[in-house]
Amino acid sequence: MRIKNEMRLDFPAAGKNESFARLVISAFILPLNPTLEEMSDVKTAVSEAVTNAIVHGYGGEEGTVRIHATLYEDDTLRVDVIDAGRGIANIELARTPFFTTCENDERSGMGFTVMESFMDDVRVTSKVGRGTTVRLEKRLRACEEQDARRA
């Protein structure tokens, strides 16, 4: 697939930057004129992935979160949220609804479940002590519908 647009952004792993990540991904897909639902889905999934990187990947320690977003010619959006934090020992367990490593926190353990419900595909790769990449993909169907109306 040919790339239509691409961007990379690195920022400190701090809670205040979660909303920044939402704004950046919104600005990246805005030229496609997505529906409000598509925009909300993407923002929510990216927000969850970034929050996981900050809270679970770094656990309050300093670090960097990277967002690498790619838009392909078929209007598929791919967003990789990457950290170099603790990593995930058991990805399958971490993807289980209500599982959390923050026992004394108010975390619901629904981050991956939320991402999966809003995106077409969610893939997680991780190495303990080296970090995690969460790959989110969604085909922006609003673009397809707009093309059909123009024809």
Side-chain angles (χ1 to χ4, degrees), residues 10-117:
D10 292 348
F11 53 89
K16 63 185 176 188
N17 286 330
E18 179 271 330
S19 58
F20 176 62
R22 289 172 63 93
L23 289 171
V24 167
I25 200 64
S26 298
F28 182 70
I29 67 172
L30 192 60
L32 299 174
N33 198 23
T35 65
L36 289 176
E37 181 179 1
E38 287 174 329
M39 180 69 82
S40 179
D41 290 353
V42 170
K43 286 170 46 178
T44 300
V46 168
S47 176
E48 289 293 333
V50 168
T51 298
N52 277 358
I54 293 168
V55 172
H56 301 289
Y58 293 111
E61 296 177 14
E62 288 186 14
T64 299
V65 177
R66 169 174 284 175
I67 294 178
H68 177 201
T70 309
L71 183 62
Y72 294 94
E73 279 190 342
D74 71 348
D75 295 321
T76 295
L77 172 69
R78 175 183 290 164
V79 181
D80 290 335
V81 177
I82 306 159
D83 70 68
R86 299 176 188 162
I88 302 171
N90 185 334
I91 293 171
E92 188 175 326
L93 180 61
R95 291 179 82 153
T96 303
F98 304 111
F99 175 80
T100 183
T101 59
C102 296
E103 298 300 325
N104 298 328
D105 204 348
E106 295 183 17
R107 304 282 168 198
S108 68
M110 295 296 289
F112 285 120
T113 303
V114 169
M115 288 179 242
E116 290 165 352
S117 67

Side-chain angles (χ1 to χ4, degrees), residues 31-35 141-151:
L32 299 174
N33 198 23
T35 65
R141 297 186 191 350
C143 301
E144 188 176 277
E145 292 166 10
Q146 290 169 11
D147 289 344
R149 280 184 283 209
R150 286 185 200 133

